[in-house]
Amino acid sequence: MDLHGRTQLSRRGLLGGGAALAGTVGVAGLGGLAGCSTGGGGGDDAAVNAAVKLPTHQPYEGVDPDLPGDETVLDGYLKFPAEPKQVITEAPGDGQPVTFMTNIPGAIPPPASDNAFWTELNNRLGSPLEISMASNDEYGDKFATRVAGDDLPDLINIPPGTAQLPGLLKAKARDLTEFLSGDAVKQYPFLANLPEVYWRGCVFNGGIYGVPVPRGMARTSLPLYREDLLAAKGIKDPAPKNFQEFFDLCVEMTDQRGNRWAWSTAPTNYLKQMLGIPYLWAEDGGKFTSANEHPRSADALEAVRKLVEAGVVNPDAFTSGASARKQWFNGGIVSFDLDSFVAWNQYYADNTAGDAFAVNMLDVPGFDGGEGTPWLGAALNNITAINAQTKHSPETLLKIANWMAAPFGTQEYLFRKFGVEGRHYALEGSDPIPNKVGVLETGIGLQYVCDAPMALYLAGHPEVPEKQQKIQQKIAPRLVANASYGLYSDTLSKKGAIIDGPLNDLSTQIILGKQPVSAWATGVQDWLAAGGEDIRSELQQAHADVNGG
């Protein structure tokens, strides 16, 4: 796929062995798993993975969008169909409990015994779904503990940055190739509805080892802003043309005495996009370059340091997690938060500011003028693997994943996202408007078993998908993808988090003014010596293996 000429990502070039991401989820007790993968030295074999026939893409065409998208821009819907279709007639379960562990982005919901949505879900699935949950901030540690204790559920939500992922999957997960490869996936039509790019991150050890939870454009992150708060300051349709105008906007939206700041966190990645710095890794002629090495990385840190020094970032940003930042945004303590289209909708679900609450998103200008280069969001939130030791048949668990992926406009989607009318939502026209009980009870993490590609839709707010598609259309021609997606690096898997740690700490120290910007160059050289050069070499070799280089 060529994203409008910025980042060349060939089909084979994306089949090197799952997603290579910036961070890794450390998994204790996996030292013996490296030899389980197919590549030499404990790595994944890019050429073998490139030969895997991916699931046939068969798009669902049951609902016509009000705002048609394309291969990059998501479809938009101004209202929910008045007569949603039932597209699955038989319960997918086998009558026996199915276990699942997952992260959740919101508050911990009531347990199944006190949760009407969960009870009805179990009835519709035909199997009780037993879910072990953790917050987004805590899930990585919980996942690592469960792996180390060999205490895995039937369905496993695996973060893509998990250490030694090929070996873990080979040892613990079911190879699903025979059920999903090529036309076999058509037995599960809503898994077949997922485009090929998402399946590329599920290929390891010469097979398909999970189902994807798709994101891509949905996860593309730019500054979300409280449109109502800016409007109260007389600022409508903000569109800074360069860094200085952006800086001035942030200063204007800050009132420290009034406990108001522009930013929930230091917007380092946004400044990098202003400066044309790549998303993690860039590739040119088979040669890979880390974003850390980009000649303007130091300029990005200097610019963020300037923002922090000006006091436009909440001073608690460096000691607080994502949950706190979301509360600040909803509470009006901050006006800007660097987040995605998924978060945009979630903010409305969590809204505590009343009817005036409104969110929009900034484009990214060039640092000195012109246009910046927005980063295409990671293709996957996670993959869901099937435990090799499960007592359920793979077909049963794939039917459940297929049910979770039923797309927008279906009865299954309506229930999965909104619950039961009267208990969890009220209809306004054909739109299901959630109540507080609905938001709480439905937040059990089903979207991390599997999900349909995101539809731009917000019940009762037709203006939101219009805003969302407008900004997507603006940024689509300039999107830059992570060139390492689909290419496995054993060093990145094992040591990525270890070597990134000191560099991330240095970045924070520079931003806080505790280290000079000049220290960055030395930090990058240390990072390269500690494993960055090895990661580069392994990515280049994987790229060559799948492209005949």
Side-chain angles (χ1 to χ4, degrees):
M1 178 177 66
D2 177 5
L3 288 173
H4 308 279
R6 266 82 51 214
T7 302
Q8 300 289 334
L9 298 176
S10 70
R11 178 184 184 278
R12 290 177 61 82
L14 285 170
L15 282 171
L21 301 182
T24 56
V25 177
V27 180
L30 292 188
L33 294 183
C36 298
S37 54
T38 58
D44 214 21
D45 191 319
V48 170
N49 289 331
V52 173
K53 186 173 180 60
L54 295 176
T56 300
H57 182 212
Q58 183 171 277
Y60 175 73
E61 299 177 347
V63 181
D64 294 327
D66 300 304
L67 306 170
D70 53 34
E71 290 185 359
T72 304
V73 176
L74 299 172
D75 289 335
Y77 301 85
L78 303 181
K79 60 182 182 299
F80 207 87
E83 298 181 359
K85 302 175 182 179
Q86 182 181 2
V87 291
I88 299 175
T89 57
E90 295 183 2
D94 57 12
Q96 299 302 310
V98 173
T99 54
F100 176 55
M101 63 178 292
T102 189
N103 57 296
I104 57 169
I108 299 292
S113 58
D114 297 317
N115 188 323
F117 171 75
W118 202 335
T119 299
E120 178 60 20
L121 170 72
N122 291 340
N123 291 335
R124 297 191 183 204
L125 289 181
S127 280
L129 187 60
E130 299 177 354
I131 308 175
S132 175
M133 305 172 197
S135 70
N136 285 353
D137 293 335
E138 298 171 343
Y139 184 69
D141 289 341
K142 180 170 183 174
F143 174 75
T145 299
R146 294 283 295 268
V147 172
D150 198 21
D151 181 25
L152 294 173
D154 299 311
L155 293 167
I156 314 166
N157 169 345
I158 302 180
T162 297
Q164 302 179 63
L165 185 51
L168 172 63
L169 291 169
K170 187 74 170 179
K172 303 295 185 182
R174 181 71 153 80
D175 183 347
L176 301 173
T177 310
E178 64 181 293
F179 306 101
L180 298 173
S181 180
D183 287 347
V185 77
K186 293 181 180 179
Q187 295 294 318
Y188 312 98
F190 304 120
L191 299 184
N193 181 52
L194 302 178
E196 184 179 90
V197 66
Y198 300 123
W199 290 101
R200 291 169 182 164
C202 299
V203 177
F204 299 88
N205 308 305
I208 301 171
Y209 272 82
V211 297
V213 174
R215 288 297 181 264
M217 178 60 101
R219 182 57 65 75
T220 297
S221 294
L222 287 169
L224 293 172
Y225 65 90
R226 285 285 300 271
E227 196 171 32
D228 54 319
L229 298 182
L230 270 67
K233 288 268 195 177
I235 303 170
K236 296 184 178 181
D237 299 321
K241 297 181 176 61
N242 51 48
F243 171 72
Q244 187 59 53
E245 290 190 10
F246 170 71
F247 179 89
D248 294 342
L249 175 63
C250 295
V251 170
E252 189 168 358
M253 291 308 300
T254 297
D255 176 10
Q256 296 185 27
R257 290 185 178 180
N259 196 37
R260 298 287 186 269
W261 289 269
W263 275 92
S264 65
T265 187
T268 306
N269 285 343
Y270 186 55
L271 270 295
K272 289 180 179 179
Q273 293 173 62
M274 282 191 188
L275 288 159
I277 296 171
Y279 180 28
L280 300 181
W281 288 91
E283 177 267 323
D284 184 14
K287 303 298 183 182
F288 279 68
T289 304
S290 167
N292 296 328
E293 302 172 272
H294 193 278
R296 301 210 69 179
S297 290
D299 294 337
L301 294 174
E302 171 61 24
V304 179
R305 187 201 60 76
K306 183 177 179 181
L307 290 169
V308 172
E309 185 179 52
V312 304
V313 178
N314 188 322
D316 294 327
F318 296 94
T319 57
S320 301
S323 297
R325 295 196 295 269
K326 292 180 185 299
Q327 291 171 10
W328 300 337
F329 187 83
N330 268 320
I333 293 173
V334 301
S335 301
F336 292 92
D337 187 42
L338 192 65
D339 217 323
S340 68
F341 292 91
V342 176
W344 190 331
N345 281 20
Q346 186 65 41
Y347 275 133
Y348 277 89
D350 297 337
N351 170 30
T352 59
D355 293 341
F357 183 85
V359 177
N360 213 325
M361 180 180 274
L362 285 184
D363 196 352
V364 52
F367 189 86
D368 300 306
E371 296 179 322
T373 53
W375 295 344
L376 177 66
L380 303 181
N381 181 82
N382 62 283
I383 66 172
T384 296
I386 292 178
N387 190 334
Q389 302 302 316
T390 181
K391 295 180 180 179
H392 300 276
S393 70
E395 292 92 338
T396 293
L397 298 181
L398 287 171
K399 286 179 182 178
I400 290 174
N402 180 71
W403 189 91
M404 299 292 178
F408 180 88
T410 65
Q411 288 187 21
E412 291 77 6
Y413 182 101
L414 177 62
F415 169 73
R416 195 172 74 246
K417 300 293 186 180
F418 297 98
V420 177
E421 182 183 1
R423 168 72 180 183
H424 301 110
Y425 66 86
L427 283 178
E428 289 186 5
S430 60
D431 281 327
I433 308 299
N435 55 38
K436 291 182 179 179
V437 172
V439 171
L440 184 61
E441 289 194 352
T442 60
I444 61 176
L446 300 185
Q447 69 270 33
Y448 303 131
V449 176
C450 195
D451 207 356
M454 183 181 179
L456 300 179
Y457 168 76
L458 189 63
H461 290 277
E463 77 282 3
V464 169
E466 290 179 332
K467 292 175 185 176
Q468 291 175 330
Q469 195 174 82
K470 182 179 179 181
I471 187 66
Q472 288 192 1
Q473 289 169 339
K474 288 179 69 176
I475 66 175
R478 294 180 278 127
L479 285 168
V480 172
N482 170 21
S484 72
Y485 173 62
L487 302 174
Y488 181 74
S489 160
D490 200 49
T491 302
L492 175 62
S493 180
K494 292 177 179 178
K495 297 176 61 177
I498 297 171
I499 67 172
D500 283 348
L503 200 59
N504 291 338
D505 290 342
L506 176 60
S507 174
T508 300
Q509 294 298 304
I510 292 172
I511 289 168
L512 292 174
K514 297 179 179 180
Q515 287 279 356
V517 175
S518 58
W520 182 253
T522 300
V524 172
Q525 291 304 311
D526 292 342
W527 178 84
L528 290 169
E533 285 289 3
D534 292 333
I535 294 171
R536 185 205 315 277
S537 297
E538 290 164 6
L539 292 176
Q540 289 178 172
Q541 185 60 56
H543 181 272
D545 288 346
V546 298
N547 288 282

